[in-house]
Amino acid sequence: MNNRKYKLSASLICGDIINLKEDLKSLEKGKADYLHFDMMDGLFVPRFGQYPEILKSIKENSKIPVDVHLMIQNPEPYIEVLADAGADVIVPHIESTPHIHRVVKKIKDLGVRAGVALNPGTSLSTLDYLIDEIDWVELMAINPGIVGHKLIPNMLNKIYDLKKIVGLRENFEIQIDGGVTPGSASKMVTAGATVLVCGSSTIYRPKEGSLDVRLNEMRKIIDTETAL
Ligand code: DX5
Ligand code: ZN
């Protein structure tokens, strides 16, 4: 892991599946901190995403830790298979189950790091009785499922408000998914974000050089702007 105050997670679903193996090499070279893995069921969000068998192949071909974003209804039955496939962090949506506390416990009991994801319209108060059980919150800065949507501006306030709740807790990650662009990234970090999901507007922007180069470009932009 790097010693910056933020980390970059590469949104694998934004890549061309045919090039996955080459992409993984480039992400290793560029020292991506995490690989972001989007599982979707066509119900919780309006498209299908990646599935556990792909995760297993990724883990066999890369040492970068994988954070699994679970955009599926009723995630509980799939936790074990994801843990077996090698997930390093499992992040179900708080809106996807009436039993989020039980799902979090199941993840932790399997020895995997547990987080929860919140849609843009979901209040931070839903974390009141959960925050002590987790050390990772993924805030959606767009409505989930579709890539390339624009940042919902008041999500910057939400990051800031969550940072206040988390306080000085060590090793607690505030991850932002969606809307991360060269223009918004440093604002997110300044507000308190610690993991940025880099997708279609940053490292996977079409035709602009290799992923490792683009990871370093993002770091340069964020480091410069947050030093001001
Ligand atoms: C959206 C996915 C993201 C996606 C983010 O639901 O979870 O991982 O890549 O969007 P972009 O690529 O637009 O930043
Ligand atoms: Zn995601």
Side-chain angles (χ1 to χ4, degrees):
M1 286 285 158
N2 70 57
N3 54 15
R4 290 178 166 85
K5 64 177 179 179
Y6 65 91
K7 302 177 185 80
L8 300 181
S9 185
S11 184
L12 297 177
I13 202 162
C14 295
D16 181 348
I17 188 82
I18 302 296
N19 296 330
L20 184 55
K21 202 163 181 174
E22 288 310 308
D23 281 359
L24 290 175
K25 281 188 205 150
S26 190
L27 292 168
E28 297 264 356
K29 188 173 170 205
K31 298 191 166 48
D33 300 287
Y34 289 99
L35 303 175
H36 184 75
F37 185 89
D38 283 315
M39 196 164 148
M40 312 184 203
D41 62 357
L43 293 168
F44 185 72
V45 288
R47 68 170 285 194
F48 294 99
Q50 297 164 308
Y51 47 89
E53 289 78 2
I54 303 183
L55 176 59
K56 197 162 185 286
S57 308
I58 289 167
K59 291 300 294 183
E60 284 163 5
N61 284 278
S62 171
K63 292 190 173 57
I64 304 172
V66 180
D67 65 274
V68 175
H69 179 197
L70 272 185
M71 289 168 277
I72 61 173
Q73 280 179 7
N74 187 25
E76 199 170 343
Y78 304 98
I79 301 303
E80 207 156 345
V81 73
L82 287 163
D84 286 348
D88 296 275
V89 192
I90 300 181
V91 188
H93 264 266
I94 205 159
E95 308 86 356
S96 66
T97 167
H99 296 295
I100 191 68
H101 191 280
R102 190 165 72 199
V103 178
V104 162
K105 183 173 184 309
K106 187 163 182 174
I107 297 169
K108 288 173 28 175
D109 285 350
L110 289 163
V112 179
R113 190 171 183 183
V116 295
L118 269 62
N119 280 332
T122 302
S123 170
L124 293 175
S125 64
T126 56
L127 295 171
D128 281 356
Y129 301 98
L130 203 58
I131 196 96
D132 292 339
E133 309 293 330
I134 53 177
D135 60 4
W136 183 296
V137 172
E138 175 175 352
L139 295 181
M140 294 306 304
I142 56 166
N143 283 299
I146 310 289
V147 301
H149 279 184
K150 281 210 173 76
L151 167 72
I152 300 169
N154 69 7
M155 292 302 110
L156 289 172
N157 296 326
K158 196 173 184 182
I159 299 170
Y160 180 75
D161 291 342
L162 177 56
K163 177 69 191 165
K164 278 196 289 193
I165 293 169
V166 170
L168 295 176
R169 264 182 73 179
E170 273 182 33
N171 300 320
F172 193 105
E173 304 292 10
I174 298 178
Q175 180 183 43
I176 311 305
D177 190 7
V180 176
T181 67
S184 67
S186 64
K187 295 188 185 89
M188 291 170 171
V189 171
T190 302
T194 60
V195 182
L196 302 182
V197 175
C198 292
S200 58
S201 303
T202 57
I203 65 171
Y204 286 97
R205 235 175 13 225
K207 298 185 196 143
E208 288 181 43
S210 56
L211 292 170
D212 57 303
V213 170
R214 287 189 259 176
L215 279 166
N216 286 322
E217 280 171 6
M218 278 304 286
R219 292 187 180 111
K220 203 167 160 189
I221 292 169
I222 300 169
D223 291 350
T224 307
E225 292 183 4
T226 54
L228 295 175

